[in-house]
Amino acid sequence: RRPPRSTPLYSSAASDVYKRQREGRALAALEHPNIVSVLDFDRDPENRLFLVMELVEGKDLDGLTSTGVLPFPVIIFIVSEVLRGLGHAHDLPVGNQSRGVVHRDISPHNVLLSWTGMVKVSDFGIAKARAVSEATASEFIKGKPAYMSPEQANGQRLDGRSDLFAVGVMLWEMIVGRRLFVAEDTRATLAAVLFGQIPRPRSLRGDIPKDVERVCMKMLERDLPNRYATAEEAVHELLH
C-alpha cells in the first residue's frame, strides 16, 4: 500500500525553480493507465513546489518477486504494461513539439501492482523532459545503479532507450530468478553495468521461451543503435 505521494520540486535558485515548474507541468501531463496519476501540482505554505500522486493499493514489484519466480505469462503482462506506460511518457507532447519524459529510475520498487490487477509506473520524481535538460555528473547517480543504462552510468544525455535498458534488467531478473548486476558497492555495480558479462537467460534456466530471451537481450544491448528504438517496438515483439 502506497500513500499519496508529495514529491518536493523546489530549489533555492530562481532559475532552478522555473525549471522545476516546467518539469512539474510535464509530469502532471502524464495521464495513462500505466502511470501513477498526478492529482495536484502546487506550492506549500513555504512556497515549495510539490506533486500529490494517487494512492495505489497493492504491492510493488520488488515485494511480489521476493515471494518467488513468477509464471511467464504474468512476467510478460507486467513488463508489457510497464513498457506501455513508459512509451506514453517518452512520446509525451510538450508545447508545440514532442519532447518526451525519461523516467531515469526504473526499478522493481517503482512498479506498483494494485489488488485489482493494474500495473503502474511510479516515482517520476527525477524524470526530465528531454529538451529541457540532460544528465549531468551531479544528476545521473540519483537512479539505482543496478538498473542504470550504460549511458546513464556514463553521465551522457538520455532518451527513452535508457529506460528500456532498465526494463531489460527487470525482465532478466524476473525470468532467471536472481539479480543481474550484483557488486559490493556503487562503483563496482556501475562497472558491472558498463563492462560486466550479461549471460543469456536460457544458459541459466532452460525453460525460458526463446522469444522472451530475445526481447530481453535486445533491451540489454549496450550499443544504443542495437537496442529497441521505442517501448512500443519492444511491446510488439514481446507479445507476438
Side-chain angles (χ1 to χ4, degrees):
R1 179 187 176 105
R2 290 273 183 107
R5 300 294 300 270
S6 295
T7 303
L9 294 170
Y10 62 88
S11 172
S12 58
S15 60
D16 284 346
V17 170
Y18 177 68
K19 182 178 72 172
R20 297 302 186 190
Q21 287 177 317
R22 289 190 294 172
E23 291 167 1
R25 283 191 289 269
L27 300 182
L30 290 171
E31 296 182 8
H32 190 273
N34 298 120
I35 295 177
V36 175
S37 299
V38 173
L39 305 178
D40 196 8
F41 169 52
D42 207 341
R43 293 178 182 271
D44 67 13
E46 297 179 14
N47 206 36
R48 297 174 300 183
L49 298 170
F50 66 88
L51 298 175
V52 177
M53 310 185 80
E54 73 170 303
L55 168 69
V56 178
E57 298 207 47
K59 300 183 65 131
D60 62 25
L61 182 57
D62 183 67
L64 181 62
T65 55
S66 67
T67 65
V69 178
L70 304 176
F72 291 123
V74 174
I75 293 172
I76 292 169
F77 171 74
I78 292 172
V79 171
S80 299
E81 295 292 277
V82 169
L83 288 169
R84 288 191 174 104
L86 290 173
H88 172 77
H90 297 163
D91 296 336
L92 180 71
V94 181
N96 295 323
Q97 54 183 316
S98 179
R99 297 185 288 191
V101 172
V102 183
H103 189 288
R104 297 172 179 252
D105 193 23
I106 291 296
S107 75
H109 298 86
N110 290 335
V111 176
L112 304 186
L113 311 169
S114 77
W115 299 130
T116 59
M118 296 295 293
V119 178
K120 290 178 175 280
V121 179
S122 70
D123 291 347
F124 274 82
I126 65 169
K128 306 286 183 181
R130 280 202 296 266
V132 173
S133 66
E134 61 184 69
T136 67
S138 64
E139 292 172 342
F140 82 89
I141 201 63
K142 290 182 180 178
K144 297 176 182 67
Y147 297 93
M148 283 185 180
S149 66
E151 59 270 25
Q152 186 175 8
N154 270 325
Q156 298 170 348
R157 184 168 183 168
L158 306 180
D159 60 26
R161 292 172 293 180
S162 178
D163 288 341
L164 299 189
F165 187 93
V167 176
V169 176
M170 291 197 307
L171 175 57
W172 192 100
E173 293 180 345
M174 282 193 284
I175 60 179
V176 172
R178 68 173 176 85
R179 295 286 299 275
L180 175 54
F181 299 118
V182 181
E184 62 272 14
D185 56 29
T186 297
R187 184 183 297 273
T189 301
L190 294 177
V193 169
L194 290 168
F195 308 113
Q197 180 185 10
I198 301 177
R200 300 193 70 86
R202 285 174 55 84
S203 70
L204 301 171
R205 183 183 171 190
D207 63 333
I208 295 172
K210 292 182 179 179
D211 54 345
V212 174
E213 179 188 70
R214 176 174 50 81
V215 172
C216 179
M217 295 304 291
K218 187 164 183 178
M219 283 197 285
L220 290 172
E221 287 282 357
R222 287 189 170 100
D223 293 330
L224 278 172
N226 296 328
R227 210 177 298 163
Y228 288 111
T230 65
E232 290 82 0
E233 184 182 348
V235 170
H236 178 79
E237 292 211 8
L238 190 61
L239 297 180
H240 295 85

